[in-house]
Amino acid sequence: MAIFCKTPAPTSTPTTTVSTPQLPAWYQDAMQRLVQAGEAEVKGTPYEYYDPARRVAPLSATEQQAIAQVPQAAGAYMPGLAAGFESAALGTRGVEDIDYSQYMNPYTQYVTDIAKREAVRDFEKMRPQMGFQASRQGAFGGARYGVQEAEAERNLGQRLADIQQTGLERAFTAGTGLQQQEAQRQLQGAPLFSQMGSQAQQLGLGGLQSIMSSQALPRQLEQQQRDLAFQEYQRGQGYGMQRLGQLGGLLGMVQQPPTTTTTGQQFTPQMSPITAAAGLGTTALGIYGLNQTFPNLFGGSDRRLKTNIEEIGVLKDGQKLYRYTLANGKWQIGLMADEVEKIYPEAVVEVNGLKMVNYKVATDNAAEAS
């Protein structure tokens, strides 16, 4: 049984070729010196702490004093509010809580005292007249005089009491009126006191606000100066790198040769096992007499070259026959080199690590068996 190996078709492999032109020597030198200058600039400009106190304009002494007076100005309403509460309390007192004696005019008592003295004087004027009449009446007149005198004294006491009572009533009535007028004034003054306290607070805070506003412009001008100083500091810190960036920009403006990319396909012819074996030299071919037989005598029977392996029969000498697919996608029938090597080692040759079978040697015994 003779089985021949066909030469596989050539394989196609996509290829990509990228050609990057070499930059001019002067350009590479300039870039190297630019990088070196940048490294030196970074090392020569270390981090420098900038005190925040230099960044912000402080408050003036006048502003600090104004801020310190804010609590006092904010509390300026409290005395007025307290006075308002006190006036409201005085104006709403009950009768039992009022001492009307402080509202009674002392002149009323003075007038009352005068009236009482006049009553006593009138009594004293009547006594001599009553004694004279009693003396004219004799014994009976003395007894009657005692009765008249007692009645006159009683009348005097009643008159004095009435004068005092009338004076007190007048004084109380006048005092009540005065107290009511005072209460009305207190009630009217309570909101006024509160308003005055609120106004005092507003005026105080407004004055402080005016002070702060008057100090704002100088502080703004100073803040602008500090901001400009900080900006100048930042510009100085980055001046070296800015110049290097400008130089780098000049180098970037240089027209660089473009990079070209070429794509294509490379066709690689596939050698048959006989050709591969022949390429090893006449020594390997001479062992099996390849130079005396036809080109397709050897077959690539290494198991690693085959896929879809399927056993389909057995030769008369016991060797297994297989159907499989080669790398070129074609189906073929043949033997496995590793199995042939165990029975006919002289029929197997190894080329570039792959085993090949001399089918004539491997199948002679099977062909002669009856």
Side-chain angles (χ1 to χ4, degrees), residues 8-28:
T11 59
S12 175
T13 304
T15 60
T16 301
T17 303
V18 179
S19 300
T20 303
Q22 189 71 20
L23 295 173
W26 66 267
Y27 187 89
Q28 296 182 11

Side-chain angles (χ1 to χ4, degrees), residues 294-322:
F294 47 85
N296 291 330
L297 183 63
F298 280 84
S301 296
D302 196 295
R303 189 182 297 270
R304 291 171 292 178
L305 299 175
K306 305 171 182 178
T307 58
N308 302 321
I309 300 174
E310 178 185 356
E311 182 180 345
I312 60 174
V314 180
L315 300 180
K316 291 185 177 182
D317 61 353
Q319 294 187 86
K320 295 180 180 180
L321 187 64
Y322 296 93

